[in-house]
């Protein structure tokens, strides 16, 4: 569909959501006719069918909605939005049955109800149903507009942001680090007046200490003083130098250097600096693209005596600095959470905990400035390319994870040997 066609959906969104049982039959038929026109124009289009299903949900006809979602599954059996919607519709059907049973029991036990006008009873039932939907099935209401975020944007029509390279921080003063940060924030799309680095995030930096560098791997059978870990570009500079990259990526575990992974250990992509950053102002969306080798998805390491893909961790250092404390991953592709048995960022709203301090994990005498703590609920592995994570960020904790975000953030992993459009 072109831009003109997509605007038809945006118009429908404004009409469909308010129809939760309140519109007249003429208004409902008008909306349905619009959808049917699009369905005729774009037969077997998943987006059209999604709107049709949402429409039937909104006018309290979940049985018809299920039929539409099942039609979507014939086009794509793995369509999670259709599968989830069917489950929600079934819950609503059961909920309505429960409400009707309760009403019948009440009617038998309390004869006084026969004196209440039938229109009031119907109105109360509708109100109860809407409240239950709001409380127990909020994604029927709140996630309709997220589809725009999941679409691949036209990168030629959105703002491209300069990606700053890594730099060396070792033995600089805290004030020098602050000056570097202020310089980059001044050029940022966030650029607040009278900016000062967040004290929780940056306040524990220690003067004239080394910083852990960007080399990702550890040598086998090492017996030195670990000075190699503090020489060269500093790992944290990937985030401090690029404030618009609200979410950073790092390796929580350092793999051993072996013959089969030297491409990763000595490659540029293992530093996980975005290849490009874009800002889509219309959709309030930042997109960070990473170019990685296809081999990356095949590397394995042993962690806690378990063989696993190399895990990555999301860091909210920049997000916290600008006040975005809360995060939720509402959609992923070819991404697996590293600890699936736990409550993770793709299950519930989580908070970023990142801060910089002097720690001993670099094993160099006296310690190094680095980011802490380890956040297992934000660890994941990439199973195939391309891969994608779509995040919602909020400054204040929202009512639920389906609420509109204060800003959206998309991370895309692309195969460096196949895709040169960064």
């Amino acid at each position: 569909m072109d831009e003109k066609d997509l605007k038809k959906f945006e118009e429908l969104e404004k009409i469909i959501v308010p129809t939760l049982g309140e519109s007249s039959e003429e208004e409902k038929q008008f909306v349905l006719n619009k959808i049917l026109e699009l369905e005729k124009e774009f037969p077997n289009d998943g987006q059209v069918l999604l709107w049709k299903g949402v429409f039937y949900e909104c006018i309290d006809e979940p049985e018809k909605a299920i039929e539409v979602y099942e039609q979507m599954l014939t086009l794509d059996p793995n369509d999670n939005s259709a599968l989830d919607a069917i489950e929600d519709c079934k819950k609503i059907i059961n909920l309505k049955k429960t409400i009707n049973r309760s009403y019948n029991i009440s009617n038998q036990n309390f004869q006084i109800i026969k004196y209440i006008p039938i229109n009031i009873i119907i109105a109360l039932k509708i109100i109860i149903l809407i409240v239950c939907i709001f409380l127990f099935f909020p994604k029927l209401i709140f996630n309709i507009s997220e589809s725009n975020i999941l679409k691949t944007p036209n990168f030629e029509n959105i703002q491209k942001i300069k990606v700053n390279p890594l730099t060396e921080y070792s033995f600089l003063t805290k004030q020098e680090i602050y000056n570097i940060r202020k310089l980059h924030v001044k050029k940022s799309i966030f650029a607040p007046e009278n900016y000062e680095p967040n004290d929780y995030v940056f306040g524990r930096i220690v003067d004239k200490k080394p910083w852990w560098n960007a080399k990702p791997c550890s040598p086998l059978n090492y017996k030195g003083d670990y000075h190699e870990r503090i020489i060269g570009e500093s790992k944290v500079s990937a985030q401090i130098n690029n404030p618009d990259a609200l979410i950073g990526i790092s390796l929580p575990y350092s793999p051993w250097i072996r013959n089969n992974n030297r491409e990763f250990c000595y490659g540029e992509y293992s530093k996980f600096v975005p290849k490009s950053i874009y800002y889509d102002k219309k959709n309030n969306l930042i997109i960070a693209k990473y170019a990685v080798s296809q081999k990356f998805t095949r590397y394995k390491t042993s962690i806690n005596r378990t063989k696993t893909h190399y895990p990555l961790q999301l860091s909210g250092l920049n997000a916290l600095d600008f006040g975005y404390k809360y995060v939720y991953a509402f959609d992923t592709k070819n991404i697996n959470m590293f600890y699936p048995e736990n409550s993770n960022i793709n299950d519930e709203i989580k908070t970023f905990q990142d801060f910089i301090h002097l720690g001993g994990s670099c094993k160099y005498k006296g310690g190094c400035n680095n980011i802490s703590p380890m956040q297992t609920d934000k660890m994941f592995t990439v199973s195939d390319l391309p891969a994608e994570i779509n995040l919602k960020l909020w400054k204040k904790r929202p009512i639920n994870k389906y609420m509109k975000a204060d800003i959206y953030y998309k991370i895309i992993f692309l195969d460096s040997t196949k895709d040169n459009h960064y």
Side-chain angles (χ1 to χ4, degrees), residues 146-209:
E146 309 293 351
S147 58
N148 285 336
I149 306 298
L150 300 179
K151 294 170 186 171
T152 302
N154 184 344
F155 289 100
E156 294 180 358
N157 295 333
I158 59 178
Q159 179 183 351
K160 188 171 185 178
I161 295 171
K162 179 184 177 182
V163 178
N164 298 307
L166 298 172
T167 51
E168 186 171 359
Y169 289 171
S170 286
F171 307 108
L172 296 181
T173 65
K174 180 178 179 179
Q175 188 57 54
E176 286 173 321
I177 299 296
Y178 272 38
N179 291 342
I180 291 170
R181 177 64 175 178
K182 289 179 182 180
L183 178 66
H184 289 300
V185 170
K186 188 176 181 179
K187 302 174 184 178
S188 163
I189 61 174
F190 297 99
E193 291 185 14
N194 304 316
Y195 167 78
E196 288 294 330
N198 183 291
D199 189 62
Y200 170 83
V201 177
F202 298 101
R204 283 163 275 193
I205 292 174
V206 178
D207 268 352
K208 298 181 180 180
K209 284 291 185 178

Side-chain angles (χ1 to χ4, degrees), residues 271-322:
K271 298 174 183 177
F272 291 102
V273 180
K275 194 74 175 179
S276 60
I277 303 172
Y278 293 87
Y279 177 50
D280 181 354
K281 186 175 182 179
K282 179 182 177 182
N283 290 307
N284 193 25
L285 168 68
I286 295 175
I287 304 169
K289 289 185 176 183
Y290 292 82
V292 302
S293 166
Q294 184 68 48
K295 292 180 180 179
F296 175 68
T297 62
R298 299 195 292 269
Y299 289 131
K300 294 288 186 72
T301 187
S302 180
I303 298 175
N304 298 327
R305 298 181 181 179
T306 301
K307 210 74 169 170
T308 177
H309 292 288
Y310 288 1
L312 301 174
Q313 179 176 296
L314 299 179
S315 169
L317 183 135
N318 284 325
L320 280 173
D321 190 33
F322 295 123

Side-chain angles (χ1 to χ4, degrees), residues 25-67:
E25 291 302 318
E26 291 78 9
E27 290 171 326
K28 293 175 185 177
Q29 189 61 48
F30 172 77
V31 176
L32 181 58
N33 289 341
K34 289 289 184 182
I35 296 173
L36 294 176
E37 287 175 11
L38 282 174
E39 189 175 21
K40 186 176 181 180
E41 187 175 355
F42 303 102
N44 295 324
D45 184 276
Q47 185 68 38
V48 177
L49 291 173
L50 177 62
W51 278 115
K52 190 176 180 181
V54 170
F55 169 78
Y56 282 127
E57 289 185 45
C58 289
I59 65 169
D60 193 22
E61 295 190 22
E63 293 86 355
K64 289 186 178 179
I66 289 176
E67 293 178 7

Side-chain angles (χ1 to χ4, degrees), residues 74-126:
T74 62
L75 302 176
D76 180 6
N78 297 316
D79 190 329
N80 289 328
S81 61
L83 291 168
D84 291 342
I86 289 173
E87 288 302 311
D88 288 338
C89 288
K90 289 179 178 178
K91 290 177 183 177
I92 291 175
I93 291 170
N94 292 332
L95 180 63
K96 289 170 69 177
K97 290 178 180 178
T98 300
I99 292 173
N100 286 331
R101 282 198 299 269
S102 299
Y103 167 71
N104 291 333
I105 293 171
S106 298
N107 192 42
Q108 293 170 6
N109 295 335
F110 302 98
Q111 292 298 315
I112 193 171
I113 201 168
K114 67 183 179 181
Y115 299 108
I116 300 175
I118 189 65
N119 60 328
I120 294 179
I121 295 174
I122 293 173
L124 286 173
K125 290 178 70 176
I126 291 174

Side-chain angles (χ1 to χ4, degrees), residues 219-236:
L220 283 166
N221 305 315
Y222 183 75
K223 297 180 180 178
D225 62 358
Y226 294 95
H227 72 276
E228 293 90 350
R229 285 187 171 174
I230 68 170
I231 296 174
E233 300 164 332
S234 301
K235 181 180 181 180
V236 182

